């Protein structure tokens, strides 16, 4: 573990602008998520907190290696500032909404705002960075196609870039 002074400097440097990356309501949502994940309420998220969070979501057999890999993504102990910084870094890599929309529009030749779910599944599993069957299931669980088998990609793009569904 890093000496206290070094740890403070890392946390302080990381936090200097991380709070300016998000508006107050987003920070509050991240705080609520952090509180839910910090199962033992010690102010830090560790392997056991992650295991308990997965169990609360119904996933009981999470491998120790998987949990360790998650915790190792952080530069040190995961307090709220580190948690927020990690999300900021993840979201910083997200393309702008217009770029993601344009990528979907390539497949929507009639400009209807949706794509057949079977078609996009086939493309995602056979092109470029291929999705696994599990990743496809997760996507459709989060963004289920409508009764006709259409995926509303405009809403999907909005959620990817803003984090919540449009009304």
């Amino acid at each position: 573990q890093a000496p206290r002074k070094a740890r403070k400097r890392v946390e302080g440097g990381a936090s200097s602008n991380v709070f300016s990356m998000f508006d107050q309501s987003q920070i509050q949502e991240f705080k609520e998520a952090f509180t839910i994940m910090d199962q033992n309420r010690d102010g830090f998220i560790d392997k056991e907190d992650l295991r308990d969070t997965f169990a609360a979501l119904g996933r009981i057999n999470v491998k120790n290696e998987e949990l360790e890999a998650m915790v190792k993504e952080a530069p040190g102990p995961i307090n709220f500032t580190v948690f927020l910084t990690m999300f900021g870094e993840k979201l910083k890599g997200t393309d702008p909404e217009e770029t993601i929309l344009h990528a979907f529009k390539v497949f929507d030749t009639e400009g209807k705002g949706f794509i057949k779910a079977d078609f996009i599944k086939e493309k995602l599993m056979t092109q470029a960075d291929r999705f696994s069957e599990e990743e496809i299931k997760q996507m459709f669980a989060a963004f289920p196609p409508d009764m006709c088998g259409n995926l509303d990609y405009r809403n999907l793009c909005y959620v990817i870039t803003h984090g919540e569904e449009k009304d």
Side-chain angles (χ1 to χ4, degrees), residues 36-40 46-59 62 67:
I36 290 168
M37 293 176 72
D38 182 17
Q39 296 276 312
N40 64 7
D46 58 22
K47 248 179 14 180
E48 290 310 311
D49 289 324
L50 290 175
R51 184 181 311 285
D52 293 344
T53 300
F54 274 118
L57 295 171
R59 186 166 168 219
V62 183
L67 296 170

Side-chain angles (χ1 to χ4, degrees), residues 60-122:
I60 296 169
N61 297 324
V62 183
K63 292 184 177 139
N64 213 33
E65 299 80 37
E66 189 178 354
L67 296 170
E68 285 174 8
M70 288 180 196
V71 171
K72 284 181 183 173
E73 285 185 42
I78 306 171
N79 62 17
F80 179 65
T81 303
V82 171
F83 180 80
L84 194 61
T85 302
M86 291 172 70
F87 269 95
E89 289 169 356
K90 293 278 186 199
L91 294 173
K92 194 167 46 179
T94 304
D95 291 319
E97 184 176 5
E98 196 56 40
T99 302
I100 298 169
L101 263 176
H102 183 70
F104 279 105
K105 284 179 183 177
V106 168
F107 300 113
D108 181 17
T109 55
E110 296 175 26
K112 294 181 177 180
F114 58 83
I115 303 169
K116 287 288 183 194
D118 290 341
F119 175 77
I120 199 65
K121 175 183 177 180
E122 188 262 327

